[in-house]
């Protein structure tokens, strides 16, 4: 298709001979693209093959890295010929190889975004939100799942895709979407491998019915580098997971040992506590018995002292009463008209002797 070739004065016959890889005598070399529009035409002429640009060509295109509305319309019309969506990923990959020319890189990425947002395989609102990195967009895994399960809507204008073409379209769309995520969300190879494994590889592996099918799938692998990179990532993850598991097991063993030691110490402490409790109970019982004996002894002593005190009180009352009586008799003798002093003296001496004897008895007690 002529529109898929880069801008060139070459004739249609030259393009045909170029497609058959023949080199007729006198053929002029194809001109290098000088504008972004010419480069995109060149890329679509490659029909999904890898793209390369010389440094001087990059700089030349960077000077004309803008697409006006007319050029963009022509190129978008050209992209309709790429029914299996094989070209945009190559353009996106090439944009990442452009260094020092941010305007060219941005223009290439913007063109791919236009193509993706207009293609039916990315027409789902959630997928478009993921492409635009909008808050309401789907998470990458869910968006990629919808892309991988794309079913073209019935159309009277276009012929339905055959089974093989639909499979290729889904495959190319998945690779393009993953590349877009890597470029615009800076996902690393480990994250991309996990995403592809979750959405594409693992579901495909579940469809393998038997060992022969699995053997066929393993021996049909074409891109060894990609498989090697993914396996290397998964192997590294497995190694790290195994190291973490070993570390966790060592920590668990250490914790079990510490727990066992703690349980042993706890058991010993419990035994000591039980012994202390028993000792405390015995001490309480003995103290209670001793306190009971002391209370009884104190009660007996108190009763005895009270009895002695009553006896002492009675004796003192009698002594004092007798002394008062004697002193009153002596005072009566003194009050008579003729005082009888000897009687008073006798009575007083008797009282003094009695009181002195009582004092001496109290001291001895």
């Amino acid at each position: 298709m002529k529109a898929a070739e880069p801008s060139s004065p070459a004739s249609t016959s030259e393009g045909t001979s170029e497609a058959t890889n023949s080199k007729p005598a006198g053929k002029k070399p194809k001109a290098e693209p000088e504008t972004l529009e010419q480069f995109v035409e060149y890329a679509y002429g490659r029909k999904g093959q890898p793209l390369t640009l010389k440094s001087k060509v990059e700089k030349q295109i960077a000077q004309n890295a803008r697409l006006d509305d007319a050029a963009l319309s022509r190129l978008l019309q050209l992209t309709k010929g790429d029914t299996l969506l094989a070209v945009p990923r190559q353009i996106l990959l090439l944009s990442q190889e452009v260094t020092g020319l941010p305007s060219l890189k941005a223009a290439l990425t913007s063109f791919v975004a236009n193509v993706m947002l207009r293609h039916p395989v990315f027409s789902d609102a959630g997928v478009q939100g993921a492409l635009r990195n909008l808050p309401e967009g789907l998470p990458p895994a869910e968006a990629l799942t919808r892309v991988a399960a794309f079913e073209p809507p019935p159309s009277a204008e276009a012929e339905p895709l055959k089974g093989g073409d639909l499979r290729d379209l889904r495959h190319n769309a998945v690779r393009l979407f993953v590349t877009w995520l890597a470029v615009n969300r800076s996902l690393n190879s480990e994250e991309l491998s996990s995403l592809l494994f979750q959405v594409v590889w693992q579901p495909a592996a579940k469809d393998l019915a038997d060992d022969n099918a699995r053997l066929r799938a393993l021996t049909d692998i074409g891109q060894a580098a990609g498989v090697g990179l993914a396996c290397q990532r998964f192997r590294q993850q497995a190694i790290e997971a195994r190291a973490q598991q070993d570390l966790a097991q060592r920590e668990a063993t250490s914790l079990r040992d510490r727990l066992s030691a703690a349980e042993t110490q706890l058991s010993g402490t419990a035994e000591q506590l039980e012994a202390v409790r028993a000792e405390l109970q015995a001490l309480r019982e003995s103290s209670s018995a001793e306190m009971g004996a002391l209370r009884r002894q104190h009660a007996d002593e108190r009763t005895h002292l009270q009895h002695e005190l009553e006896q002492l009180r009675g004796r003192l009352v009698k002594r004092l009463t007798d002394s008062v009586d004697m002193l009153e008799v002596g005072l009566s003798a003194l009050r008579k008209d003729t005082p009888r002093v000897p009687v008073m003296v006798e009575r007083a001496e008797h009282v003094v002797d009695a009181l002195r004897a009582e004092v001496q008895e109290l001291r001895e007690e």
Side-chain angles (χ1 to χ4, degrees):
M1 182 172 59
K2 183 61 180 175
E5 300 294 335
S7 298
S8 169
S11 64
T12 304
S13 62
E14 288 173 346
T16 305
S17 63
E18 191 174 301
T20 57
N21 295 327
S22 61
K23 294 182 180 181
K27 178 183 176 182
K28 296 181 180 179
K30 183 178 294 186
E32 297 285 359
E34 298 180 355
T35 65
L36 180 59
E37 182 180 5
Q38 292 176 0
F39 169 72
V40 173
E41 291 177 350
Y42 162 72
Y44 275 85
R46 298 278 296 171
K47 300 186 182 300
Q49 298 180 24
L51 303 172
T52 58
L53 279 179
K54 299 177 182 178
S55 177
K56 66 177 183 178
V57 178
E58 287 182 357
K59 294 177 181 179
Q60 177 65 35
I61 297 175
Q63 296 176 4
N64 298 278
R66 298 183 61 184
L67 295 173
D68 56 26
D69 293 342
L72 180 60
S73 178
R74 288 193 297 269
L75 292 177
L76 291 177
Q77 187 65 30
L78 174 64
T79 62
K80 294 181 180 180
D82 182 25
T83 56
L84 302 184
L85 208 61
V87 178
R89 186 175 72 95
Q90 298 298 337
I91 298 177
L92 199 57
L93 290 171
L94 178 68
S95 71
Q96 300 310 294
E97 299 176 2
V98 175
T99 56
L101 300 170
S103 61
L104 177 57
K105 177 180 290 191
L108 293 171
T109 305
S110 176
F111 176 76
V112 174
N114 270 305
V115 175
M116 295 177 70
L117 292 172
R118 284 171 169 78
H119 199 281
V121 77
F122 300 111
S123 60
D124 181 270
V127 174
Q128 293 222 346
L131 284 174
R132 298 176 185 271
N133 201 17
L134 299 177
E136 63 271 19
L138 293 173
E142 188 175 348
L144 185 61
T145 300
R146 295 194 183 185
V147 171
F150 169 71
E151 286 291 344
S155 173
E157 299 178 359
E159 295 183 1
L161 292 174
K162 298 179 180 179
D165 290 342
L166 180 57
R167 182 184 63 248
D168 291 343
L169 173 60
R170 291 170 176 168
H171 178 66
N172 290 337
V174 165
R175 294 195 301 170
L176 174 58
F177 185 74
V178 170
T179 306
W180 178 264
L181 291 176
V183 170
N184 289 276
R185 297 200 186 182
S186 301
L187 299 185
N188 57 37
S189 56
E190 182 175 341
E191 293 170 322
L192 294 176
S193 298
S194 298
L195 181 62
L196 285 168
F197 177 77
Q198 176 185 351
V199 178
V200 181
W201 300 336
Q202 187 177 30
K206 291 180 179 179
D207 293 336
L208 299 176
D210 50 33
D211 290 341
N212 188 50
R214 285 186 280 272
L215 176 62
R216 183 184 299 277
L218 285 173
T219 53
D220 282 345
I221 294 175
Q223 292 291 336
V227 175
L229 177 62
C231 291
Q232 181 180 1
R233 290 292 181 181
F234 291 140
R235 182 175 181 273
Q236 183 62 33
Q237 289 178 357
I239 292 174
E240 293 174 357
R242 181 59 182 271
Q244 292 178 354
Q245 181 183 7
D246 292 342
L247 178 60
Q249 288 179 346
R250 289 194 297 271
E251 291 179 349
T253 301
S254 176
L255 288 174
R256 282 195 295 268
D257 294 341
R258 291 167 58 186
L259 178 61
S260 178
E263 288 177 345
T264 302
Q265 183 178 3
L266 179 61
S267 177
T269 304
E271 293 177 357
Q272 293 177 0
L273 179 61
E274 190 62 29
V276 170
R277 284 178 176 172
E279 184 178 355
L280 178 60
Q281 183 64 25
L283 181 60
R284 285 175 178 172
E285 293 175 356
S286 63
S287 299
S288 178
E290 290 179 2
M291 288 294 294
L294 289 173
R295 288 191 184 96
R296 288 190 297 273
Q297 181 182 356
H298 175 70
D300 293 343
E301 291 178 352
R302 181 178 179 182
T303 301
H304 180 67
L305 289 174
Q306 285 179 346
H307 177 67
E308 289 183 348
L309 182 61
E310 290 296 331
Q311 288 181 339
L312 177 61
R313 182 183 291 111
R315 192 180 70 201
L316 288 175
V317 168
K318 183 177 182 305
R319 177 63 63 189
L320 293 174
T321 301
D322 292 344
S323 298
V324 169
D325 290 342
M326 286 186 178
L327 291 175
E328 286 180 346
V329 171
L331 288 173
S332 296
L334 288 176
R335 292 189 185 103
K336 290 184 176 184
D337 296 336
T338 302
R340 298 175 64 184
V341 176
V343 175
M344 181 61 192
V345 171
E346 180 186 359
R347 297 288 180 178
E349 288 177 350
H350 181 76
V351 170
V352 170
D353 291 340
L355 291 176
R356 186 179 286 112
E358 191 66 40
V359 170
Q360 183 65 28
E361 186 176 353
L362 289 175
R363 286 177 178 174
E364 290 177 355
E365 291 178 357

